[in-house]
Amino acid sequence: MVAELLLIAYLIAGAFQADDEWRLWYALGAAGLFLLVGALVWSRWRGSASRG
């Protein structure tokens, strides 16, 4: 989970520092990875809440 958060931070930083033609791709990568990690965390949290 820490590695994913570091990759998201790297992509966000790249979105601010990259050339104009690459900024959108960095931002989309960060947003997509953020949504994926959020979905995984949500499913684990909801799964443990419904069991206990």
Side-chain angles (χ1 to χ4, degrees):
M1 204 50 103
V2 173
E4 287 88 357
L5 294 176
L6 288 174
L7 183 57
I8 291 170
Y10 170 77
L11 290 171
I12 291 171
F16 285 107
Q17 297 174 357
D19 295 332
D20 287 339
E21 61 191 34
W22 291 102
R23 287 183 188 200
L24 177 65
W25 296 111
Y26 276 104
L28 287 175
L33 190 55
F34 181 77
L35 289 174
L36 179 67
V37 170
L40 289 173
V41 169
W42 178 260
S43 68
R44 287 184 184 178
W45 179 73
R46 290 286 294 165
S48 64
S50 65
R51 283 186 227 130

